[in-house]
Amino acid sequence: MKNFKKILLTACSVLSILFVVSCSKKDDRTLYLYNWTYYTPDSLLKKFEQQFNCKVKLDSYSTCDEMYAKIKAGAKGYDVVVPSNDFVSIMMKQGMLREIDQSKFTNRKRINPVIIEKMDYDPQMKYSVPYAFSATGIIVNKTKVTNSNYSRHYDIFSDPQFKGHATMMDEMREVLGCSLVFNGFDLNSVNDSELEKACNTVINDWKPNLSKFDAEGFGKSFSSGDFWLCQGYPEIVFGEVDESRWDETIDFFIPEEGGPATLDSMVILKDAPHYDLACEFINFIHEPENYAVFIDEFRYPCIVNLDALPYVTRKPMYEPEKANNCTLKQDLGENLDKYTEAWQKIRFSE
């Protein structure tokens, strides 16, 4: 019996070793992608798997804070992550990223020079390659307004016809950024007096009209008719309204003074276990036919990769020209505390 147990244990050990070796071989051709929720077309992942004889494992997050905290806490195994520009800057400074092999990035020429100019944190694209440029703006439900001659600036949030049916994002950089540019200041200002004025504008002029601050659910509330005026990402509203009703229902605009914008980019983590495959994936996304699939599925304006335009088949949610005057939210470093303090006043003021 003892000999039988020894034989059995040995057999199990061998099987375990074979299992580990087998998994290791599979992992060598597995790309681990960590991206925003609903931000990666399944068809592109399948195409990449077929083209490069590999597997793609996708994990998702809803905010950059969530992604950053998980990686800083020690999460291992991810290859490609898609943070927003301010987090790209932070992760670069903290040595969390690995340089991209430029010899594999043959689609570098596809990236819109206008977008590269905005990348002052990584102008050579050593650590990050743009994925999507998005801007927040103002969305009005045209079926609900009584006076269609409303302001097309941020002071629309003080218009009494929207009282109780208006919302702004539950995100301090977004709301304070809108108020800063409305008051004639830089969207990334850390000047104390400018921040104070921006804060007071929100508290005294805009907040009395707001139903609440809402970062995620305002699309559904807009579609149901509860919200008539929203500040936020247009895709959250367009995605909830049937396309046949877009023209009659939605008026999306970005005030001429500008507003907040975000540039999500693909980066490779410092300890990425599948570096070569990660470089191939980044380049793959920017094949014009592939990037057009991304644009078509999510209805973004084609701003990052202009060579994809001939392959785009669906009308975007808004024309790219509307975002020309928007400004990227920058990493504020220690000055972020100033925004946190101002946001606490806004959120907890009566």
Side-chain angles (χ1 to χ4, degrees), residues 249-283:
T249 306
I250 301 173
D251 179 14
F252 170 75
F253 61 91
I254 297 173
E256 64 179 20
E257 57 264 33
T262 299
L263 180 62
D264 295 326
S265 295
M266 295 176 285
V267 301
I268 302 175
L269 293 178
K270 190 74 172 180
D271 57 356
H274 311 103
Y275 174 74
D276 289 338
L277 205 54
C279 290
E280 296 287 6
F281 180 81
I282 289 172
N283 193 63

Side-chain angles (χ1 to χ4, degrees), residues 31-210:
L31 178 78
Y32 289 87
L33 174 63
Y34 197 23
N35 200 355
W36 297 81
T37 307
Y38 309 121
Y39 209 32
T40 317
D42 289 338
S43 60
L44 281 184
L45 297 184
K46 291 177 182 177
K47 183 178 179 180
F48 182 78
E49 288 178 333
Q50 294 172 353
Q51 185 171 328
F52 290 89
N53 188 29
C54 67
K55 293 291 183 182
V56 178
K57 299 292 186 181
L58 174 63
D59 200 359
S60 60
Y61 50 88
S62 57
T63 68
C64 275
D65 289 308
E66 176 189 340
M67 172 276 297
Y68 177 78
K70 184 173 181 179
I71 294 174
K72 290 294 286 185
K76 302 289 185 182
Y78 293 124
D79 296 302
V80 177
V81 183
V82 191
S84 299
N85 53 281
D86 49 343
F87 276 83
V88 172
S89 179
I90 292 170
M91 295 169 81
M92 284 174 57
K93 292 175 183 176
Q94 296 184 354
M96 297 172 65
L97 307 180
R98 184 171 177 180
E99 286 194 28
I100 296 165
D101 185 345
Q102 297 298 315
S103 69
K104 286 185 169 60
F105 186 26
T106 57
N107 285 316
R108 180 187 180 93
K109 58 184 179 292
R110 315 283 189 192
I111 307 301
N112 187 349
V114 173
I115 294 297
I116 296 176
E117 287 179 11
K118 296 179 181 293
M119 298 175 60
D120 55 354
Y121 52 91
D122 188 20
Q124 301 302 318
M125 293 188 288
K126 287 184 177 180
Y127 294 94
S128 60
V129 172
Y131 186 70
F133 180 89
S134 57
T136 55
I138 295 172
I139 311 109
V140 175
N141 190 326
K142 294 189 292 185
T143 68
K144 297 295 183 179
V145 296
T146 55
N147 178 11
S148 60
N149 189 31
Y150 45 78
S151 171
R152 302 186 75 80
H153 301 274
Y154 290 109
D155 59 356
I156 189 175
F157 287 97
S158 59
D159 187 334
Q161 75 170 314
F162 298 107
K163 186 175 178 63
H165 296 282
T167 182
M168 298 187 79
M169 292 187 72
D170 190 7
E171 211 283 318
M172 65 183 181
R173 295 295 305 279
E174 287 286 336
V175 175
L176 283 166
C178 292
S179 188
L180 282 165
V181 297
F182 173 71
N183 282 291
F185 307 134
D186 186 277
L187 185 135
N188 295 294
S189 174
V190 293
N191 179 282
D192 291 337
S193 62
E194 293 175 357
L195 277 170
E196 182 178 9
K197 185 171 183 179
C199 181
N200 289 336
T201 296
V202 178
I203 292 174
N204 299 324
D205 300 339
W206 301 350
K207 188 176 178 182
N209 260 9
L210 302 182

Side-chain angles (χ1 to χ4, degrees), residues 272-323:
H274 311 103
Y275 174 74
D276 289 338
L277 205 54
C279 290
E280 296 287 6
F281 180 81
I282 289 172
N283 193 63
F284 168 87
I285 290 295
H286 280 295
E287 286 292 337
E289 299 94 332
N290 296 338
Y291 196 74
V293 172
F294 168 69
I295 292 298
D296 275 343
E297 179 153 336
F298 296 103
R299 310 298 288 274
Y300 285 119
C302 191
I303 298 175
V304 169
N305 183 335
L306 299 182
D307 287 348
L309 274 171
Y311 303 95
V312 173
T313 62
R314 303 178 73 188
K315 179 182 177 182
M317 293 174 290
Y318 61 94
E319 296 305 318
E321 293 77 17
K322 288 189 175 183

